[in-house]
């Protein structure tokens, strides 16, 4: 992917750039809002990472300007301000996701993959499949091979969320947001216990495990 | 509101004191006027009596006994003053007298007596010449009447003064109470967390106005100090985050290198995560404390939040052999769903951490008067009464908890969120265990 990173802090920018490059992305960096807006409107990017507080032009103003001009490139806003009000403000300005500093690089990477995938469409699916695991979104049924899996409603949503982002890391915070619809820092292992229950149901007794824990980051659903 | 009750009893005492001093003042004034008037009247009466007696002495000196007898008889028959009294004794025999026998003095000098009807009689007896004794006197009828009038008027004035004193006392105390009430109400609300509130100042420059100014200056200072502390925490947490974030990322990158064992790095990453979480929690705490109290936020159904929290914690409870029991009424409060959920999760998390296996953790949402009360109760070791206030302080951890994971910020967050939502937190003994109750004001119309 071609990514534009608009971040004024040189150190933060350097390590984000390095991390993104290691994941195989091409990264351009703008050091202030004006340069960022110029690059975003003149070059084709797959995603934007925008610091909220920028010299020359505020990150939210930049996004509003882009969206006003019909530019729909997926964008994640990075910010030191992580409250609901700030988040709502950011999403209204046209951000696709919002990440409060400080964050783990894994979190940014997972969210980046998620916003890009969402922008690609694929929302109107009624069946999801990962390996031999199938999820029927209309019939609210899950099965692995020929085995029916009974899921509680919340487990169903948890699995759906993981399957929609199959192959990608989904973090604990993302799961809280997407499955429980609450934005806060749990600081506990509540999500892990839900995942281990789900893992029991889908992987127990199977030859290949589908639900993997990614150390220090989150979870990934996939055959490998 | 006990401060207000104290103030009210103070103003009542003030009113009583004012009317009592009015009463005392009037009693002293009335008493001394009465005494002065009474003395004046007596002196006048004595003067009149002396003048009369001197006249008779002159008659004796000028003409001898015969004209004196005539003069006394004449004065008794046709008195200038109907209250005048005379008696003349010559050589031990009463020649003429209109003084009642009981009032007739036996010796020379001034004599006072009363008639059976209470009228005062004042008589002076003197010996004008050997064998010639004269007594002159006055019935003090008009003087007594006048004094009675003075006394009656004084008593009436006294009654009016007492009533006036009570009325003025009441007015003053109401005025004082009104001024104090503003101060008291502001102090109460500031204590509840509305640190930006100030006492209204009316610009009169009187003592209350000066007190209000001083009070406001004190609040300004407290607010500035609080802001300073908050800013310092914010800066520290903020400045720590970037290097911490980088540290964590570098550790993650190291893990990708084949030369380093992932197992060796895991604890380091976990430590970095814990530091990040603590600094994030500090920042969130500082931000929530800086936010204005909830006024016009959307309404939330506390029971729905409780259900979500229950469902989130049910697997952990099952894993630890704890029963999670909920009993939630549908009650709506105004607030920020994420923050109230965080409060709930922090309380539940604590309960889960301390509840022994095989016990029950209760989660209740119920109405108590005008409040929606959220209660989380466990059967763990509880918190000693002496610690119950301090557990809300940043980084405060009970001594016995030092070994367990946690930042000591969970309950600080709970308190900050509760304050912002105008909710009260009470920690109580659950006999055994801890019962934490957060009472939110109900949303209007509930």
């Amino acid at each position: 992917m071609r990514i534009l990173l608009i971040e004024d802090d040189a150190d933060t920018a350097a390590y984000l750039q390095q991390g993104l490059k290691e994941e195989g992305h091409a990264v351009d960096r703008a050091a202030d809002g004006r340069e960022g807006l110029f690059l975003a409107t003149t070059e084709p990017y797959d995603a934007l990472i925008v610091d909220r507080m920028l010299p020359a032009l505020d990150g939210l103003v930049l996004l509003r300007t882009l969206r006003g001009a019909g530019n729909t490139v997926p964008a994640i806003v990075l910010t030191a301000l992580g409250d609901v009000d700030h988040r709502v403000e950011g999403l209204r300005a046209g951000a696709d996701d919002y990440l409060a500093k400080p964050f783990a690089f894994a979190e940014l990477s997972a969210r980046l993959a998620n916003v890009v995938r969402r922008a690609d469409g694929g929302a109107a699916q009624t069946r999801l499949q990962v390996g031999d695991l199938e999820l029927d979104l209309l019939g609210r049924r899950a099965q692995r091979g020929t085995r029916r899996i009974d899921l509680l409603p919340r487990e169903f949503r948890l699995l759906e969320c993981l399957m929609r982002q199959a192959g990608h890391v989904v973090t604990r915070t993302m799961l809280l947001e997407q499955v429980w619809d609450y934005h806060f820092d749990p600081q506990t292992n509540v999500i892990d216990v839900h995942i281990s229950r789900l893992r029991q149901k889908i992987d127990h007794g199977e030859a290949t495990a589908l639900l993997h824990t990614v150390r220090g980051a989150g979870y990934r659903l996939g055959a490998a | 509101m006990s401060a207000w009750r104290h103030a009210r009893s103070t103003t009542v005492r003030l009113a009583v004191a004012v009317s009592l001093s009015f009463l005392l003042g009037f009693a002293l004034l009335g008493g001394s006027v009465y005494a002065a008037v009474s003395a004046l009247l007596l002196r006048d009466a004595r003067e009149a009596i002396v003048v009369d007696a001197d006249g008779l002495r002159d008659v004796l000196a000028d003409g001898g006994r015969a004209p004196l007898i005539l003069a006394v008889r004449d004065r008794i028959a046709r008195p200038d003053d109907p209250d005048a009294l005379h008696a003349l004794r010559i050589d031990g025999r009463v020649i003429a007298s209109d003084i009642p026998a009981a009032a007739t003095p036996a010796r020379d000098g001034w004599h006072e007596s009363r008639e059976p009807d209470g009228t005062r009689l004042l008589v002076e007896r003197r010996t004008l010449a050997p064998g010639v004794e004269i007594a002159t006197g006055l019935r003090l009828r008009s003087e007594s009447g006048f004094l009675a009038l003075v006394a009656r008027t004084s008593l009436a004035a006294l009654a009016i003064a007492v009533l006036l004193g009570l009325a003025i006392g009441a007015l003053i105390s109401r005025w004082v109470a009104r001024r104090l009430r503003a101060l008291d109400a502001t102090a109460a609300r500031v204590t509840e967390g509305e640190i930006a509130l100030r006492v209204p100042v009316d610009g009169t420059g009187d003592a209350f106005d000066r007190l209000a100014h001083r009070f406001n200056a004190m609040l300004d200072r407290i607010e500035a100090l609080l802001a300073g502390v908050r800013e310092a925490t914010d800066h520290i947490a903020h400045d720590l985050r970037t290097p911490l974030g980088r540290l964590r990322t570098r550790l993650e990158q190291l893990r990708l290198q084949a030369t380093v064992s992932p197992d060796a790095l895991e604890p380091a990453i976990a430590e970095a995560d814990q530091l990040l979480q603590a600094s994030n929690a500090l920042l969130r705490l500082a931000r929530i404390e800086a936010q204005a109290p909830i006024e016009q936020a959307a309404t939330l159904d506390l029971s729905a939040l409780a259900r979500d929290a229950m469902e989130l914690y049910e697997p952990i409870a099952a894993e630890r052999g704890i029963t999670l029991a909920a009993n939630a009424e549908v009650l709506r409060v105004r607030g920020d769903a994420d923050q109230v959920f965080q409060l709930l999760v922090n309380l539940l998390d604590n309960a889960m951490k301390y509840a022994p296996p095989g016990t029950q953790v209760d989660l209740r949402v119920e109405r108590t008067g005008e409040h929606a009360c959220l209660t989380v109760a466990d059967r763990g070791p509880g918190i000693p009464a002496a610690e119950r206030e301090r557990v809300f302080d940043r980084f405060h951890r009970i001594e016995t908890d030092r070994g367990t994971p946690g930042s000591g910020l969970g309950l600080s967050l709970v308190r900050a969120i509760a304050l912002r939502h105008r909710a009260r937190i009470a920690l109580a003994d659950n006999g055994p265990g801890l019962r934490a109750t957060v009472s939110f004001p109900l949303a209007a119309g509930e």
Side-chain angles (χ1 to χ4, degrees):
Chain A
M1 284 200 293
R2 202 169 165 204
I3 296 166
L4 174 61
L5 171 64
I6 311 172
E7 164 67 70
D8 57 327
D9 178 55
D11 282 355
T12 309
Y15 92 78
L16 283 180
Q17 255 177 310
Q18 192 196 341
L20 290 168
K21 276 178 187 154
E22 277 170 14
E23 289 197 336
H25 305 298
V27 185
D28 287 343
R29 184 214 164 190
D32 67 49
R34 203 171 294 147
E35 188 190 349
L37 184 61
F38 175 74
L39 282 174
T41 46
T42 52
E43 301 280 327
Y45 288 104
D46 297 305
L48 305 181
I49 299 171
V50 186
D51 188 16
R52 182 166 165 162
M53 284 186 281
L54 284 169
L57 188 65
D58 177 76
L60 293 190
V61 177
L62 183 154
L63 267 180
R64 267 190 221 108
T65 313
L66 269 185
R67 298 300 187 231
N71 189 323
T72 58
V73 60
I76 292 185
V77 170
L78 299 184
T79 180
L81 315 165
D83 282 329
V84 196
D85 298 348
H86 298 130
R87 211 163 49 228
V88 169
E89 206 183 336
L91 296 177
R92 278 206 191 117
D96 295 273
D97 203 351
Y98 207 96
L99 194 51
K101 287 180 175 178
F103 48 84
F105 182 78
E107 183 83 32
L108 175 69
S109 167
R111 284 177 187 268
L112 192 62
N114 186 40
V115 296
V116 171
R117 210 166 33 250
R118 277 212 315 253
D120 279 350
Q125 284 174 296
T126 59
R127 290 175 66 79
L128 297 170
Q129 180 147 18
V130 175
D132 57 352
L133 178 64
E134 281 177 59
L135 203 61
D136 175 357
L137 297 178
L138 291 180
R140 312 298 288 175
R141 273 193 300 271
Q143 81 185 49
R144 178 134 194 217
T146 54
R147 178 169 65 92
R148 259 296 288 282
I149 302 171
D150 287 321
L151 295 175
L152 296 170
R154 192 73 70 172
E155 290 169 342
F156 191 91
R157 279 181 65 186
L158 193 54
L159 185 58
E160 179 188 342
C161 180
L162 289 164
M163 286 182 86
R164 280 192 188 278
Q165 296 164 80
H168 298 275
V169 173
V170 184
T171 67
R172 292 169 180 82
T173 319
M174 284 166 80
L175 287 174
L176 254 182
E177 288 174 14
Q178 293 168 19
V179 178
W180 277 271
D181 202 22
Y182 288 106
H183 297 78
F184 73 101
D185 200 350
Q187 306 213 353
T188 70
N189 62 342
V190 270
I191 301 294
D192 301 347
V193 184
H194 283 267
I195 291 285
S196 75
R197 278 199 163 184
L198 184 63
R199 181 179 282 134
Q200 275 287 315
K201 291 192 176 178
I202 64 171
D203 282 344
H204 188 67
E206 301 284 343
T208 50
L210 287 179
L211 185 45
H212 309 279
T213 300
V214 182
R215 281 182 163 187
Y219 304 97
R220 183 171 52 80
L221 193 76
Chain B
M1 273 293 153
S2 76
W4 166 230
R5 218 168 283 135
H6 281 302
R8 203 162 45 184
S9 73
T10 306
T11 55
V12 168
R13 281 207 302 273
L14 194 65
V16 170
V18 166
S19 38
L20 274 182
S21 36
F22 259 69
L23 189 75
L24 194 69
F26 258 78
L28 277 175
L29 188 69
S32 46
V33 164
Y34 186 90
V37 167
S38 168
L40 191 73
L41 289 176
L42 198 65
R43 207 180 65 212
D44 283 355
R46 283 183 186 221
E47 249 168 44
I49 289 166
V50 167
V51 167
D52 195 9
D54 285 352
L56 292 174
R57 183 194 61 204
D58 292 346
V59 169
L60 180 70
D62 289 349
R65 291 185 177 190
L68 177 66
I69 293 167
L70 273 176
V72 171
R73 283 196 174 140
D74 180 56
R75 283 180 193 190
I76 290 172
R78 287 180 287 104
D80 293 337
D81 181 343
D83 287 329
L85 299 169
H86 298 87
L88 179 64
R89 219 153 71 135
I90 294 178
D91 300 330
R93 209 162 50 87
V94 176
I95 302 299
S97 172
D98 58 359
I99 298 178
T104 309
R107 285 185 306 276
D108 282 3
W110 288 97
H111 297 272
E112 245 192 271
S113 58
R114 280 181 192 276
E115 290 196 306
D117 67 356
T119 308
R120 280 170 73 198
L121 301 179
L122 182 62
V123 177
E124 189 207 11
R125 184 184 128 156
R126 52 169 103 165
T127 304
L128 295 181
V132 180
E133 291 153 11
I134 178 102
T136 51
L138 275 173
R139 275 194 185 84
L140 299 178
R141 213 192 323 254
S142 59
E143 285 82 352
S144 294
F146 185 72
L147 280 176
L149 183 70
V150 167
R152 271 202 311 278
T153 315
S154 296
L155 280 175
L158 193 67
I160 290 170
V162 168
L163 289 177
L164 209 65
L166 278 173
I168 289 174
L171 280 177
I172 289 176
S173 61
R174 268 181 61 187
W175 178 76
V176 169
R178 205 188 64 232
R179 304 290 303 256
L180 281 180
R181 195 156 43 209
L183 211 64
D184 183 57
T186 308
R189 286 177 63 189
V190 168
T191 314
E192 303 274 298
E194 287 181 71
I195 193 79
L197 216 63
R198 293 295 178 269
V199 184
V201 171
D202 59 12
T204 54
D206 64 5
F208 285 102
D209 221 36
R210 285 203 305 278
L211 183 63
H213 273 295
R214 184 136 305 176
F215 196 79
N216 287 347
M218 185 180 78
L219 287 178
D220 286 343
R221 178 100 181 103
I222 291 174
E223 197 181 9
L225 286 173
L226 273 181
V229 169
R230 204 173 285 143
E231 209 172 305
T233 330
D234 216 35
H235 277 145
I236 293 167
H238 204 272
D239 290 351
L240 278 179
R241 288 188 314 168
T242 309
L244 273 174
R246 266 186 235 137
L247 170 69
R248 194 194 183 284
T249 306
R250 283 183 189 142
L251 288 171
E252 264 180 62
Q253 284 166 347
L254 277 179
R255 193 168 55 194
L256 299 176
Q257 295 171 12
T259 51
V260 186
S261 149
D263 290 335
L265 275 176
E266 217 52 60
I269 291 180
E271 293 280 344
D273 278 343
Q274 210 181 325
L275 284 171
L276 274 173
Q277 276 184 348
S279 84
N280 272 337
L282 261 184
L283 277 171
R284 205 161 50 247
L285 188 57
R287 237 172 256 135
I288 292 171
E289 282 177 346
Q291 282 173 334
I294 289 282
E295 297 283 1
Q296 288 304 313
T299 60
L300 317 166
D301 177 5
L302 271 187
S303 71
L305 291 177
R307 258 199 319 279
D308 283 349
M310 277 281 293
E311 192 247 14
L312 188 62
Y313 272 85
E314 197 276 322
I316 285 198
E319 199 177 60
R320 300 195 184 158
I322 295 164
T323 319
L324 199 52
N327 184 1
E329 276 181 60
V330 175
L331 290 174
R332 303 191 71 83
V333 299
R334 285 197 183 280
D336 177 324
D338 289 328
Q339 287 184 7
V340 177
F341 194 70
Q342 170 120 53
L343 174 148
L344 197 49
V345 160
N346 284 8
L347 288 177
L348 262 183
D349 215 70
N350 269 353
M352 286 291 154
K353 205 161 16 174
Y354 298 115
T359 61
Q360 178 167 311
V361 169
D362 282 300
L363 174 59
R364 282 198 304 279
V365 176
E366 61 206 342
R367 183 181 180 140
T368 308
E370 291 306 300
H371 287 85
C373 293
L374 186 95
T375 305
V376 177
D378 65 56
R379 295 280 174 190
I383 298 177
E387 294 265 2
R388 284 188 199 137
E389 262 310 306
R390 293 173 57 210
V391 290
F392 291 110
D393 293 343
R394 282 169 168 78
F395 299 114
H396 182 82
R397 305 197 66 199
I398 299 174
E399 226 27 71
T400 51
D401 279 1
R402 293 277 171 204
T404 61
S407 59
L409 289 170
L411 282 177
S412 309
L413 260 176
V414 165
R415 180 174 62 180
I417 294 170
L419 273 179
R420 186 171 178 237
H421 286 76
R422 299 188 191 287
R424 279 172 195 281
I425 315 175
L427 297 182
D429 191 355
N430 197 34
L434 181 70
R435 190 171 66 240
T437 303
V438 187
S439 349
F440 293 86
L442 281 167
E446 283 289 308

